[in-house]
C-alpha cells in the first residue's frame, strides 16, 4: 500500500467551457471584478530561471513568460 503522506497530488478541477461560462468570465475580467495575480514576469530568454523559480514553489501567483 503506497502512502500519499509526503506527495503533492494534483486533481484537475477544470471542465469543458461553455459559451455562458466564457461570457460570464469575460465580463468579470473586463469590468475589473476579477484580476489575475501575477507573481513575476520573465523574458523568454530567461525561461530556465522561470522554471527554477516555479520549481521552488514559492510563487503566490502566475509566472508570466513574455515573447
Amino acid at each position: 500500500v503506497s502512502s500519499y503522506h509526503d506527495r503533492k497530488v494534483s486533481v484537475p478541477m477544470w471542465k469543458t467551457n461553455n459559451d455562458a461560462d466564457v461570457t460570464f468570465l469575460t465580463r468579470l475580467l473586463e469590468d475589473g471584478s476579477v484580476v489575475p495575480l501575477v507573481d513575476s514576469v520573465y523574458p523568454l530568454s530567461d525561461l530556465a530561471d522561470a522554471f527554477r523559480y516555479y520549481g521552488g514553489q514559492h510563487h503566490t501567483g502566475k509566472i508570466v513568460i513574455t515573447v
Side-chain angles (χ1 to χ4, degrees):
V1 176
S2 65
S3 170
Y4 287 102
H5 176 62
D6 289 325
R7 297 181 193 176
K8 191 172 191 176
V9 178
S10 178
V11 178
M13 302 298 283
W14 198 264
K15 63 178 186 169
T16 305
N17 294 331
N18 65 47
D19 289 341
D21 289 344
V22 172
T23 300
F24 177 74
L25 289 172
T26 299
R27 286 187 189 139
L28 291 175
L29 288 165
E30 288 176 345
D31 73 13
S33 296
V34 173
V35 179
L37 177 60
V38 176
D39 178 282
S40 53
V41 179
Y42 289 85
L44 185 58
S45 60
D46 292 339
L47 185 62
D49 292 334
F51 269 100
R52 275 191 284 279
Y53 182 66
Y54 172 76
Q57 299 180 354
H58 299 292
H59 59 282
T60 57
K62 299 297 181 185
I63 300 169
V64 177
I65 308 299
T66 57
V67 183

